[in-house]
Structures are given as structure tokens and as C-alpha cells.
Short mmCIF file of all heavy atoms in Angstrom, two decimals:
data_model
loop_
_atom_site.label_atom_id
_atom_site.label_comp_id
_atom_site.label_asym_id
_atom_site.label_seq_id
_atom_site.Cartn_x
_atom_site.Cartn_y
_atom_site.Cartn_z
N GLU E 1 0.83 -1.22 0.00
CA GLU E 1 0.00 0.00 0.00
C GLU E 1 0.86 1.26 0.00
O GLU E 1 0.50 2.28 -0.63
CB GLU E 1 -0.93 -0.03 1.21
CG GLU E 1 -2.01 -1.11 1.09
CD GLU E 1 -2.83 -1.30 2.36
OE1 GLU E 1 -2.30 -1.06 3.47
OE2 GLU E 1 -4.00 -1.68 2.24
N ARG E 2 2.00 1.22 0.67
CA ARG E 2 2.90 2.39 0.66
C ARG E 2 3.46 2.64 -0.73
O ARG E 2 3.71 3.80 -1.09
CB ARG E 2 4.02 2.19 1.68
CG ARG E 2 3.53 2.28 3.13
CD ARG E 2 4.67 2.24 4.14
NE ARG E 2 4.11 2.29 5.49
CZ ARG E 2 3.92 1.23 6.26
NH1 ARG E 2 4.25 0.02 5.82
NH2 ARG E 2 3.40 1.35 7.47
N LEU E 3 3.67 1.60 -1.50
CA LEU E 3 4.12 1.78 -2.88
C LEU E 3 3.07 2.55 -3.68
O LEU E 3 3.40 3.37 -4.53
CB LEU E 3 4.39 0.42 -3.53
CG LEU E 3 5.54 -0.41 -2.95
CD1 LEU E 3 5.59 -1.78 -3.63
CD2 LEU E 3 6.88 0.32 -3.10
N VAL E 4 1.80 2.25 -3.40
CA VAL E 4 0.71 3.00 -4.03
C VAL E 4 0.75 4.46 -3.58
O VAL E 4 0.70 5.39 -4.40
CB VAL E 4 -0.66 2.37 -3.69
CG1 VAL E 4 -1.79 3.27 -4.17
CG2 VAL E 4 -0.79 0.98 -4.29
N ASP E 5 0.85 4.67 -2.28
CA ASP E 5 0.82 6.03 -1.74
C ASP E 5 1.97 6.88 -2.29
O ASP E 5 1.83 8.11 -2.43
CB ASP E 5 0.89 5.99 -0.21
CG ASP E 5 -0.39 5.46 0.42
OD1 ASP E 5 -1.44 5.52 -0.25
OD2 ASP E 5 -0.33 4.99 1.57
N ASP E 6 3.09 6.23 -2.59
CA ASP E 6 4.26 6.95 -3.10
C ASP E 6 4.28 7.05 -4.62
O ASP E 6 5.27 7.51 -5.20
CB ASP E 6 5.54 6.30 -2.59
CG ASP E 6 5.71 6.47 -1.08
OD1 ASP E 6 5.04 7.35 -0.51
OD2 ASP E 6 6.51 5.71 -0.48
N GLY E 7 3.21 6.62 -5.26
CA GLY E 7 3.09 6.77 -6.70
C GLY E 7 3.96 5.84 -7.52
O GLY E 7 4.19 6.08 -8.71
N LEU E 8 4.42 4.75 -6.91
CA LEU E 8 5.32 3.84 -7.62
C LEU E 8 4.56 2.74 -8.37
O LEU E 8 5.03 2.27 -9.40
CB LEU E 8 6.31 3.22 -6.63
CG LEU E 8 7.27 4.22 -6.01
CD1 LEU E 8 8.04 3.60 -4.85
CD2 LEU E 8 8.24 4.75 -7.07
N THR E 9 3.44 2.34 -7.83
CA THR E 9 2.55 1.43 -8.56
C THR E 9 1.13 1.95 -8.44
O THR E 9 0.72 2.44 -7.38
CB THR E 9 2.65 -0.01 -8.02
OG1 THR E 9 1.80 -0.87 -8.81
CG2 THR E 9 2.23 -0.13 -6.57
N ARG E 10 0.39 1.86 -9.51
CA ARG E 10 -0.97 2.40 -9.50
C ARG E 10 -1.94 1.45 -8.80
O ARG E 10 -2.88 1.88 -8.14
CB ARG E 10 -1.45 2.67 -10.93
CG ARG E 10 -0.73 3.86 -11.56
CD ARG E 10 -1.38 4.28 -12.86
NE ARG E 10 -2.82 4.52 -12.71
CZ ARG E 10 -3.37 5.62 -12.16
NH1 ARG E 10 -2.58 6.57 -11.69
NH2 ARG E 10 -4.68 5.75 -12.09
N ASN E 11 -1.72 0.15 -8.96
CA ASN E 11 -2.62 -0.85 -8.39
C ASN E 11 -1.81 -1.97 -7.76
O ASN E 11 -0.66 -2.22 -8.15
CB ASN E 11 -3.51 -1.45 -9.49
CG ASN E 11 -4.32 -0.40 -10.24
OD1 ASN E 11 -5.38 0.02 -9.78
ND2 ASN E 11 -3.81 0.04 -11.39
N ILE E 12 -2.41 -2.65 -6.80
CA ILE E 12 -1.77 -3.81 -6.17
C ILE E 12 -2.75 -4.97 -6.17
O ILE E 12 -3.97 -4.78 -6.13
CB ILE E 12 -1.27 -3.50 -4.73
CG1 ILE E 12 -2.37 -2.82 -3.90
CG2 ILE E 12 -0.01 -2.66 -4.77
CD1 ILE E 12 -1.95 -2.52 -2.46
N GLY E 13 -2.20 -6.18 -6.24
CA GLY E 13 -3.06 -7.35 -6.33
C GLY E 13 -2.40 -8.57 -5.73
O GLY E 13 -1.34 -8.50 -5.10
N ILE E 14 -3.04 -9.70 -5.95
CA ILE E 14 -2.61 -10.96 -5.34
C ILE E 14 -2.69 -12.08 -6.38
O ILE E 14 -3.37 -11.96 -7.39
CB ILE E 14 -3.48 -11.31 -4.11
CG1 ILE E 14 -4.96 -11.25 -4.48
CG2 ILE E 14 -3.15 -10.39 -2.94
CD1 ILE E 14 -5.92 -11.57 -3.34
N SER E 15 -2.00 -13.16 -6.08
CA SER E 15 -2.01 -14.31 -6.97
C SER E 15 -1.93 -15.58 -6.12
O SER E 15 -1.24 -15.60 -5.09
CB SER E 15 -0.81 -14.23 -7.93
OG SER E 15 -0.79 -15.33 -8.81
N ASN E 16 -2.64 -16.59 -6.56
CA ASN E 16 -2.61 -17.91 -5.89
C ASN E 16 -3.11 -17.85 -4.44
O ASN E 16 -2.69 -18.63 -3.61
CB ASN E 16 -1.19 -18.50 -5.95
CG ASN E 16 -0.73 -18.72 -7.38
OD1 ASN E 16 -1.35 -19.44 -8.15
ND2 ASN E 16 0.37 -18.06 -7.75
N PHE E 17 -4.01 -16.93 -4.16
CA PHE E 17 -4.67 -16.84 -2.85
C PHE E 17 -6.00 -17.58 -2.93
O PHE E 17 -6.70 -17.49 -3.95
CB PHE E 17 -4.97 -15.39 -2.49
CG PHE E 17 -3.82 -14.60 -1.92
CD1 PHE E 17 -2.57 -14.57 -2.55
CD2 PHE E 17 -3.99 -13.85 -0.77
CE1 PHE E 17 -1.53 -13.82 -2.04
CE2 PHE E 17 -2.95 -13.09 -0.24
CZ PHE E 17 -1.71 -13.08 -0.88
N ASN E 18 -6.37 -18.26 -1.85
CA ASN E 18 -7.71 -18.84 -1.79
C ASN E 18 -8.64 -17.89 -1.04
O ASN E 18 -8.23 -16.81 -0.59
CB ASN E 18 -7.68 -20.23 -1.15
CG ASN E 18 -7.20 -20.21 0.30
OD1 ASN E 18 -7.12 -19.16 0.93
ND2 ASN E 18 -6.89 -21.37 0.84
N VAL E 19 -9.90 -18.27 -0.90
CA VAL E 19 -10.89 -17.38 -0.27
C VAL E 19 -10.50 -17.06 1.17
O VAL E 19 -10.62 -15.91 1.61
CB VAL E 19 -12.30 -18.01 -0.33
CG1 VAL E 19 -13.27 -17.25 0.58
CG2 VAL E 19 -12.82 -17.99 -1.77
N GLN E 20 -10.01 -18.04 1.90
CA GLN E 20 -9.65 -17.79 3.30
C GLN E 20 -8.56 -16.72 3.40
O GLN E 20 -8.64 -15.80 4.23
CB GLN E 20 -9.17 -19.08 3.96
CG GLN E 20 -8.84 -18.90 5.45
CD GLN E 20 -8.43 -20.20 6.11
OE1 GLN E 20 -8.36 -21.24 5.46
NE2 GLN E 20 -8.14 -20.14 7.39
N ALA E 21 -7.53 -16.82 2.54
CA ALA E 21 -6.45 -15.83 2.56
C ALA E 21 -6.95 -14.45 2.14
O ALA E 21 -6.54 -13.43 2.71
CB ALA E 21 -5.31 -16.29 1.65
N ILE E 22 -7.85 -14.41 1.16
CA ILE E 22 -8.39 -13.12 0.70
C ILE E 22 -9.27 -12.50 1.78
O ILE E 22 -9.19 -11.30 2.06
CB ILE E 22 -9.21 -13.31 -0.59
CG1 ILE E 22 -8.31 -13.84 -1.72
CG2 ILE E 22 -9.85 -11.99 -1.03
CD1 ILE E 22 -9.09 -14.31 -2.93
N LEU E 23 -10.10 -13.33 2.40
CA LEU E 23 -11.01 -12.84 3.45
C LEU E 23 -10.21 -12.23 4.59
O LEU E 23 -10.56 -11.16 5.12
CB LEU E 23 -11.88 -13.98 3.95
CG LEU E 23 -13.04 -13.61 4.89
CD1 LEU E 23 -13.99 -12.62 4.24
CD2 LEU E 23 -13.79 -14.87 5.31
N ASP E 24 -9.13 -12.87 4.98
CA ASP E 24 -8.28 -12.34 6.04
C ASP E 24 -7.70 -10.98 5.62
O ASP E 24 -7.75 -10.01 6.38
CB ASP E 24 -7.15 -13.31 6.36
CG ASP E 24 -6.26 -12.81 7.48
OD1 ASP E 24 -6.77 -12.59 8.59
OD2 ASP E 24 -5.05 -12.63 7.23
N LEU E 25 -7.21 -10.89 4.39
CA LEU E 25 -6.63 -9.65 3.89
C LEU E 25 -7.66 -8.52 3.90
O LEU E 25 -7.35 -7.37 4.26
CB LEU E 25 -6.06 -9.88 2.49
CG LEU E 25 -5.17 -8.81 1.87
CD1 LEU E 25 -4.27 -9.43 0.79
CD2 LEU E 25 -5.97 -7.69 1.25
N LEU E 26 -8.90 -8.84 3.55
CA LEU E 26 -9.95 -7.82 3.49
C LEU E 26 -10.32 -7.27 4.86
O LEU E 26 -10.95 -6.21 4.95
CB LEU E 26 -11.19 -8.40 2.80
CG LEU E 26 -11.05 -8.71 1.30
CD1 LEU E 26 -12.33 -9.35 0.77
CD2 LEU E 26 -10.70 -7.47 0.50
N THR E 27 -9.93 -7.97 5.93
CA THR E 27 -10.26 -7.47 7.27
C THR E 27 -9.34 -6.34 7.72
O THR E 27 -9.67 -5.63 8.67
CB THR E 27 -10.19 -8.60 8.33
OG1 THR E 27 -8.84 -9.08 8.43
CG2 THR E 27 -11.12 -9.74 7.98
N TYR E 28 -8.18 -6.20 7.07
CA TYR E 28 -7.25 -5.16 7.54
C TYR E 28 -6.72 -4.24 6.44
O TYR E 28 -6.10 -3.23 6.74
CB TYR E 28 -6.05 -5.80 8.26
CG TYR E 28 -5.29 -6.82 7.46
CD1 TYR E 28 -4.44 -6.45 6.43
CD2 TYR E 28 -5.42 -8.18 7.74
CE1 TYR E 28 -3.74 -7.39 5.69
CE2 TYR E 28 -4.72 -9.14 7.01
CZ TYR E 28 -3.88 -8.74 5.99
OH TYR E 28 -3.19 -9.68 5.26
N CYS E 29 -6.96 -4.53 5.20
CA CYS E 29 -6.34 -3.74 4.13
C CYS E 29 -6.91 -2.32 4.07
O CYS E 29 -8.09 -2.09 4.34
CB CYS E 29 -6.51 -4.43 2.79
SG CYS E 29 -8.21 -4.58 2.20
N LYS E 30 -6.07 -1.37 3.71
CA LYS E 30 -6.52 -0.02 3.38
C LYS E 30 -7.02 0.01 1.94
O LYS E 30 -8.03 0.64 1.64
CB LYS E 30 -5.38 0.98 3.58
CG LYS E 30 -5.75 2.41 3.24
CD LYS E 30 -4.70 3.42 3.70
CE LYS E 30 -3.42 3.33 2.88
NZ LYS E 30 -2.49 4.45 3.17
N TYR E 31 -6.28 -0.66 1.06
CA TYR E 31 -6.67 -0.79 -0.34
C TYR E 31 -6.90 -2.27 -0.64
O TYR E 31 -5.99 -3.07 -0.49
CB TYR E 31 -5.57 -0.27 -1.28
CG TYR E 31 -5.11 1.14 -1.00
CD1 TYR E 31 -3.77 1.47 -1.05
CD2 TYR E 31 -6.03 2.16 -0.70
CE1 TYR E 31 -3.33 2.76 -0.81
CE2 TYR E 31 -5.60 3.45 -0.45
CZ TYR E 31 -4.24 3.75 -0.50
OH TYR E 31 -3.82 5.03 -0.25
N LYS E 32 -8.10 -2.60 -1.03
CA LYS E 32 -8.37 -4.00 -1.37
C LYS E 32 -7.61 -4.36 -2.65
O LYS E 32 -7.32 -3.48 -3.47
CB LYS E 32 -9.86 -4.27 -1.50
CG LYS E 32 -10.50 -3.70 -2.74
CD LYS E 32 -11.87 -4.34 -3.03
CE LYS E 32 -12.89 -4.05 -1.97
NZ LYS E 32 -14.25 -4.54 -2.37
N PRO E 33 -7.29 -5.63 -2.85
CA PRO E 33 -6.61 -6.02 -4.08
C PRO E 33 -7.43 -5.63 -5.30
O PRO E 33 -8.66 -5.77 -5.32
CB PRO E 33 -6.50 -7.55 -3.97
CG PRO E 33 -6.66 -7.85 -2.51
CD PRO E 33 -7.56 -6.78 -1.96
N ALA E 34 -6.74 -5.15 -6.34
CA ALA E 34 -7.42 -4.82 -7.59
C ALA E 34 -7.71 -6.08 -8.38
O ALA E 34 -8.73 -6.16 -9.07
CB ALA E 34 -6.56 -3.87 -8.43
N THR E 35 -6.81 -7.06 -8.27
CA THR E 35 -6.95 -8.28 -9.06
C THR E 35 -6.49 -9.50 -8.26
O THR E 35 -5.70 -9.38 -7.32
CB THR E 35 -6.10 -8.24 -10.35
OG1 THR E 35 -4.71 -8.26 -10.01
CG2 THR E 35 -6.40 -7.00 -11.19
N LEU E 36 -7.01 -10.64 -8.67
CA LEU E 36 -6.52 -11.95 -8.23
C LEU E 36 -6.11 -12.71 -9.48
O LEU E 36 -6.89 -12.80 -10.44
CB LEU E 36 -7.62 -12.72 -7.50
CG LEU E 36 -7.34 -14.22 -7.27
CD1 LEU E 36 -6.21 -14.42 -6.26
CD2 LEU E 36 -8.61 -14.95 -6.83
N GLN E 37 -4.91 -13.25 -9.47
CA GLN E 37 -4.46 -14.07 -10.60
C GLN E 37 -4.37 -15.52 -10.14
O GLN E 37 -3.70 -15.82 -9.14
CB GLN E 37 -3.11 -13.57 -11.10
CG GLN E 37 -2.69 -14.21 -12.41
CD GLN E 37 -1.45 -13.59 -13.01
OE1 GLN E 37 -0.49 -14.29 -13.34
NE2 GLN E 37 -1.44 -12.28 -13.16
N VAL E 38 -5.09 -16.41 -10.86
CA VAL E 38 -5.12 -17.82 -10.48
C VAL E 38 -5.19 -18.70 -11.72
O VAL E 38 -5.56 -18.25 -12.80
CB VAL E 38 -6.33 -18.16 -9.56
CG1 VAL E 38 -6.11 -17.69 -8.15
CG2 VAL E 38 -7.62 -17.59 -10.13
#
């Protein structure tokens, strides 16, 4: 997320995450993942 705030990447995402891992991430993230690659 800090990379986003500093203008170094426009979007951030995840790959090879299952629902449990995504659900956990959604409980604390400031920016939700833009994409999931699977």
C-alpha cells in the first residue's frame, strides 16, 4: 500500500490466494486487491 501512496505502482493485487487468505486480507487492508491471478 505504501508503494501506491508513493506513486510507484498504480494498483496492487494478489495471486494464488484462496478465499480464506483473501477474506483475512480484506479485514485489515486499506486498499483491497485490484486483481486476483489464479
Side-chain angles (χ1 to χ4, degrees):
E1 291 172 330
R2 289 186 182 99
L3 295 174
V4 171
D5 290 338
D6 292 342
L8 294 169
T9 182
R10 289 191 53 77
N11 302 278
I12 49 179
I14 52 180
S15 180
N16 299 301
F17 279 50
N18 63 13
V19 168
Q20 183 178 1
I22 298 168
L23 189 59
D24 181 59
L25 192 157
L26 292 176
T27 65
Y28 56 75
C29 65
K30 179 169 71 170
Y31 306 138
K32 73 163 65 173
T35 68
L36 167 69
Q37 190 172 127
V38 283

